[in-house]
Amino acid sequence: SVYAQQFARADWLRQPHTSAVRSYMKNILLIAALVCLLPLGVNATSVSPITLEQLVKESDHIIVANVVKVDMVNGKGEKVKEKTAMTGPGLDNEIRFHLDVKEIIYTKSKKFPTKVLVPLWKAWHYQLGEIQSIVTGNTSIFLLKDGYIPAYPQNFQRSIGEKEEIMNLIRKYHATQ
């Protein structure tokens, strides 16, 4: 047949309408690829929640501290002063809490400093000025790992009202250490 011969010779690829069809198909494939990538973008700034019990188990230090200052540095370690500066995927900015330690509830260390600098997870979508207004001056319980980093990216800063529950969990999981 004529169609079989055309297909075999690939003449149909050189016909005028085929460039439009190819362009259309490329666009469809591009859209399909982008749709497949969407869930990755959504998950990039989310973490699975964990329980307070798990958070206490993972902690090397549990302290009561006051957030005396919140600042931001860029990927070169330079201070960022713009209140509208953001953190999040693809950005090198890092927000840090400057803590004044009021009480050490639990630590694996022999000594613990009175001032601690705690970096937040860079993937969170935060704006410097917004975080400063929310947490500066707050006294909270902080659950940290060695290096004074959050024990987990979320919920490492807890209410003082949870102190008794946290202390019970410390007795349960850290009493023998």
Side-chain angles (χ1 to χ4, degrees):
S1 92
V2 174
Y3 292 112
Q5 289 173 354
Q6 278 186 334
F7 186 77
R9 291 189 320 228
D11 284 344
W12 64 276
L13 287 174
R14 289 186 284 280
Q15 293 177 0
H17 72 279
T18 56
S19 65
V21 170
R22 276 186 272 157
S23 177
Y24 176 76
M25 289 305 293
K26 283 181 188 175
N27 287 340
I28 294 295
L29 289 173
L30 179 62
I31 291 169
L34 290 174
V35 168
C36 290
L37 291 175
L38 280 178
L40 295 176
V42 171
N43 291 332
T45 56
S46 64
V47 293
S48 300
I50 64 172
T51 64
L52 178 58
E53 183 173 359
Q54 186 67 29
L55 198 55
V56 169
K57 282 166 74 173
E58 305 263 334
S59 297
D60 296 322
H61 316 287
I62 302 173
I63 61 172
V64 174
N66 184 38
V67 181
V68 294
K69 180 179 169 185
V70 177
D71 72 359
M72 179 185 280
V73 292
N74 63 21
K76 297 175 186 173
E78 300 164 337
K79 297 250 180 183
V80 176
K81 299 201 184 272
E82 297 85 28
K83 300 284 187 197
T84 57
M86 299 285 298
T87 59
L91 300 173
D92 280 338
N93 294 338
E94 179 179 74
I95 292 179
R96 308 177 305 177
F97 290 173
H98 295 255
L99 304 181
D100 185 13
V101 179
K102 302 294 181 195
E103 178 184 353
I104 300 166
I105 298 174
Y106 168 78
T107 185
K108 289 182 177 179
S109 299
K110 290 185 169 72
K111 283 188 168 186
F112 198 88
T114 58
K115 308 272 186 214
V116 178
L117 185 63
V118 178
L120 302 187
W121 190 42
K122 290 181 181 182
W124 291 128
H125 291 273
Y126 286 148
Q127 188 175 59
L128 176 60
E130 187 176 332
I131 294 299
Q132 286 173 326
S133 66
I134 292 170
V135 301
T136 303
N138 289 347
T139 299
S140 302
I141 298 172
F142 293 87
L143 295 98
L144 307 171
K145 299 288 282 174
D146 279 336
Y148 314 119
I149 60 172
Y152 196 69
Q154 73 180 26
N155 298 328
F156 74 97
Q157 181 180 4
R158 309 299 292 215
S159 164
I160 294 293
E162 295 178 281
K163 185 175 179 181
E164 187 176 330
E165 182 180 0
I166 289 170
M167 291 184 74
N168 288 334
L169 291 168
I170 290 168
R171 284 189 278 277
K172 181 176 180 181
Y173 293 107
H174 297 292
T176 59
Q177 295 182 0

